[in-house]
Amino acid sequence: MRVLVIGMDGATPQLLFPWAEEGKLPNIAELIEEGVSGNLRSTIPPMSAPAWVSFMTGKNPGKHGIYHYIEYVHETYDYRVVTSSDIKSRRLWSILSDFGKKVGVVQVPMVYPPDKVNGFFISGGLTTPSDENINFTYPPDLRDLLIKKFKFKIGITERCYEGNEDNFLADVNYTDERKAKVTLYLMKNYDWDFFMVVFVNLDAVQHFFWRYMDTTHPGYDPEKAKKYGDAILNCYKKYDGFIGKMLDVIDDETTVIVMSDHGFGPLYKELHLNKWLMDKNLLKVKEKKDIPFHRYLLSRTGLTREMVATLVNKLHLEKIAKSMPKRLKRALPSHYVPFEIDWSRTKAYSVATHGLLYINLKGRNPSGIVEPGEEYEELRNYIIRELYKLKDPENGKKIVVRVYKREELYRGKYVNKAPDLLVMTDMTYQNIGTLDNTLLRPSWKPEEGKLSLLTKQRPLASGSHRMEGIFIMKGENVKRNEKIKNAEIIDIAPTILHMMGVPVPLDMDGKVLKDAFK
């Protein structure tokens, strides 16, 4: 038996299933009619990084160790970008390879450098466009074929911002078309038992263009909607066309899975958890006189890492940026207002996005002030109680729907890498934290010294992730035209192994989706 897996990063049931039923996605509609389909529950938080790794390992983040695109380094109050070497578990394709199955993998997120498999592998996710000049394939000689024959592009380089929407969408379409052509070529010309490709650009398109599609969105712009209102639908249609071409290549004995890592929905406001922690006297910042003058001056002139990153992408200077000394990069303040955290007086702080909240713990953090044990537990319980009281002052809406202690969500050897608390909001609000010792985006147009708890979504970030993704499967032994319930992203790997006659490792958390089969 052969298995073909097609990933659509961020494909959401609220859009895909109705559009398929309306006839706008005919190839996906055919798969739904001839197989099983339903929602696919993501990880908590519903982020691509932990979700795709949970897919490929069949395990919760406590066992594979990935909670975000970055790993927070407690010893330095700093962070680093993760690589595939940080995934502390074997991947689906490696298990299949060990059992003699021929595999082909095209740009599944979070795996770079490429895995050595019994077949071929094109890395994705953490690979950047500047890496086109180094090895991003296995075997290495596959790289030259991709670039010379197909002018393959690892990922988009145009950023989406006001006035650059057309260039961004053109880049998305070019990159997707290249990937589709490479995928069809590899499917036709290489032997494989398992083949997987992930189209990631749908995620970005939904982040940026949701407000042009959604007439109820507070950021809806009727004029721009005339031009960009179908941007998201067109992306789904494009992928439906790719799926049709892939279905033409395979035989009836090949099982097809279409899936996403999480869903999508509207984003209305951003919640700045560090400002909330400041209001609760749990996070303290240095006074202006205590901030290094060069950081304050650079920030006030607008010369920040955020601005430099924008220029690097716009001017295609990735190679130069990559060669810059880390010391020089760190000399730049992260964002516009450098309210630097005073760790000697801070008890709790939020990191990155999606509600990752940490305790400044003695013995773990260099300037930790919270004692392990009773004080630690009391502080976590206090934060949880207070977060549940948090409401939007404009409409009285409750913002936080659930706060988890890490041991409530995760189990395994790497739970110690997880945040101490995970804050889940009403999904129309997105949590914003910090990536170093400056407060991340306290406000997009702040007045001098003023921080905001809630800010409107950024102009082109009007969509955000949801817990429920999509799952569709059609195959010789798969039920026909039936809905599947309670499927989770960790279930896909054991289900594939089961179908292909490979033993499911006992330490996988996912289950075989037995209800999907005749």
Side-chain angles (χ1 to χ4, degrees):
M1 171 185 280
R2 297 203 302 178
V3 174
L4 168 65
V5 181
I6 304 165
M8 296 169 59
D9 198 297
T12 190
Q14 287 76 13
L15 297 181
L16 182 139
F17 291 133
W19 282 342
E21 189 173 347
E22 293 167 11
K24 296 175 180 176
L25 308 174
N27 296 300
I28 291 174
E30 182 178 334
L31 290 174
I32 293 171
E33 184 178 348
E34 297 182 358
V36 297
S37 61
N39 293 359
L40 186 68
R41 189 165 178 80
S42 185
T43 51
I44 298 177
M47 284 187 64
S48 295
W52 282 117
V53 178
S54 291
F55 152 77
M56 68 184 71
T57 62
K59 299 177 183 179
N60 85 95
K63 290 183 179 178
H64 61 63
I66 302 298
Y67 297 91
H68 202 284
Y69 289 108
I70 57 100
E71 180 172 291
Y72 197 69
V73 184
H74 293 289
E75 294 80 5
T76 61
Y77 296 113
D78 209 339
Y79 71 97
R80 64 180 184 83
V81 177
V82 300
T83 69
S84 54
S85 63
D86 294 301
I87 302 173
K88 306 300 184 182
S89 186
R90 295 172 72 225
R91 273 80 93 178
L92 169 63
W93 38 82
S94 297
I95 297 171
L96 291 171
S97 294
D98 290 346
F99 279 85
K101 305 295 184 181
K102 298 285 284 185
V103 304
V105 180
V106 180
Q107 292 202 304
V108 177
M110 302 306 296
V111 186
Y112 175 79
D115 282 346
K116 295 179 180 179
V117 295
N118 180 30
F120 57 88
F121 198 103
I122 303 172
S123 66
L126 298 171
T127 319
T128 64
S130 61
D131 292 325
E132 287 174 357
N133 294 319
I134 60 176
N135 180 34
F136 62 94
T137 68
Y138 180 83
D141 57 6
L142 178 59
R143 169 193 169 278
D144 291 337
L145 172 70
L146 300 183
I147 293 176
K148 292 177 181 178
K149 183 178 180 66
F150 296 98
K151 295 182 173 56
F152 184 74
K153 195 162 180 272
I154 287 178
I156 56 175
T157 50
E158 291 285 347
R159 290 180 64 129
C160 195
Y161 53 85
E162 293 284 355
N164 199 51
E165 296 94 338
D166 291 342
N167 291 334
F168 170 80
L169 290 173
D171 195 10
V172 164
N173 289 331
Y174 177 86
T175 305
D176 284 342
E177 291 286 349
R178 297 295 101 189
K179 182 183 292 189
K181 288 186 177 182
V182 164
T183 296
L184 291 170
Y185 176 85
L186 294 172
M187 288 178 67
K188 293 175 182 177
N189 293 281
Y190 285 69
D191 291 330
W192 55 273
D193 301 300
F194 171 84
F195 191 103
M196 181 170 186
V197 59
V198 178
F199 294 94
V200 299
N201 290 334
L202 175 62
D203 183 281
V205 172
Q206 291 181 135
H207 271 302
F208 298 137
F209 292 91
W210 194 279
R211 67 181 178 132
Y212 301 131
M213 173 193 69
D214 183 357
T215 58
T216 66
H217 197 286
Y220 180 71
D221 183 334
E223 285 303 310
K224 283 207 167 185
K226 294 176 183 177
K227 186 173 185 179
Y228 301 118
D230 289 334
I232 293 175
L233 172 60
N234 290 339
C235 199
Y236 278 86
K237 285 182 173 180
K238 174 178 59 180
Y239 293 155
D240 182 78
F242 294 162
I243 289 171
K245 292 178 180 179
M246 285 184 254
L247 295 179
D248 289 339
V249 175
I250 61 175
D251 56 32
D252 292 336
E253 295 180 359
T254 301
T255 297
V256 181
I257 295 174
V258 179
M259 61 168 292
S260 64
D261 53 334
H262 54 73
F264 243 89
L267 170 63
Y268 298 157
K269 293 184 180 180
E270 291 180 335
L271 167 67
H272 305 284
L273 277 175
N274 282 329
K275 173 61 169 69
W276 182 84
L277 291 168
M278 289 175 66
D279 293 342
K280 295 295 179 183
N281 292 315
L282 298 175
L283 186 151
K284 299 290 185 179
V285 297
K286 296 177 182 178
E287 296 181 16
K288 190 192 309 183
K289 62 182 178 61
D290 296 322
I291 300 173
F293 179 73
H294 77 279
R295 291 174 67 85
Y296 184 83
L297 181 63
L298 289 171
S299 174
R300 282 290 168 247
T301 58
L303 190 58
T304 64
R305 286 186 220 168
E306 186 177 47
M307 183 274 286
V308 170
T310 300
L311 288 176
V312 165
N313 281 276
K314 191 172 183 180
L315 301 176
H316 306 295
L317 300 175
E318 290 88 357
K319 295 178 184 177
I320 296 175
K322 197 168 185 179
S323 64
M324 286 175 59
K326 287 186 178 179
R327 185 179 299 176
L328 179 57
K329 295 177 184 177
R330 294 288 167 84
L332 295 173
S334 291
H335 296 85
Y336 184 61
V337 184
F339 287 95
E340 294 198 356
I341 297 174
D342 184 346
W343 297 110
S344 67
R345 299 188 297 143
T346 290
K347 291 186 176 183
Y349 54 99
S350 177
V351 169
T353 56
H354 293 275
L356 282 60
L357 197 151
Y358 291 88
I359 305 300
N360 194 20
L361 195 64
K362 272 188 179 180
R364 180 182 70 182
N365 300 83
S367 300
I369 63 173
V370 177
E371 291 285 353
E374 186 176 350
E375 184 182 0
Y376 171 78
E377 291 301 338
E378 287 182 354
L379 178 57
R380 288 204 300 175
N381 290 334
Y382 169 76
I383 291 172
I384 292 171
R385 288 195 304 271
E386 294 301 307
L387 279 170
Y388 282 139
K389 300 175 185 177
L390 184 57
K391 294 182 178 180
D392 187 333
E394 287 189 1
N395 54 30
K397 188 175 184 180
K398 187 176 179 180
I399 296 175
V400 176
V401 296
R402 186 69 190 270
V403 186
Y404 295 93
K405 295 179 179 179
R406 62 183 181 183
E407 63 270 20
E408 293 176 319
L409 283 177
Y410 312 119
R411 58 197 180 280
K413 186 177 179 180
Y414 303 101
V415 173
N416 63 322
K417 290 188 173 186
D420 297 292
L421 294 172
L422 197 288
V423 183
M424 293 289 287
T425 60
D426 171 310
M427 292 295 192
T428 56
Y429 296 82
Q430 184 176 52
N431 301 303
I432 299 293
T434 179
L435 283 180
D436 56 12
N437 67 338
T438 60
L439 296 184
L440 176 61
R441 296 190 183 108
S443 178
W444 282 96
K445 291 183 180 179
E447 298 172 8
E448 182 74 24
K450 183 179 179 181
L451 298 174
S452 300
L453 177 63
L454 291 170
T455 54
K456 292 181 180 180
Q457 87 290 337
R458 286 160 280 159
L460 286 173
S462 56
S464 66
H465 298 179
R466 297 293 188 272
M467 280 299 302
E468 302 294 331
I470 59 106
F471 175 74
I472 305 165
M473 182 165 67
K474 174 202 168 186
E476 195 173 22
N477 297 313
V478 177
K479 291 178 180 177
R480 180 184 173 89
N481 197 21
E482 288 204 19
K483 298 298 179 186
I484 192 166
K485 296 180 179 180
N486 303 318
E488 300 183 45
I489 198 163
I490 54 174
D491 299 334
I492 310 303
T495 299
I496 290 171
L497 293 173
H498 172 74
M499 286 191 296
M500 299 186 72
V502 174
V504 178
L506 295 177
D507 62 344
M508 278 191 174
D509 297 312
K511 62 184 180 297
V512 176
L513 294 172
K514 294 181 180 179
D515 291 344
F517 300 103
K518 296 175 183 176

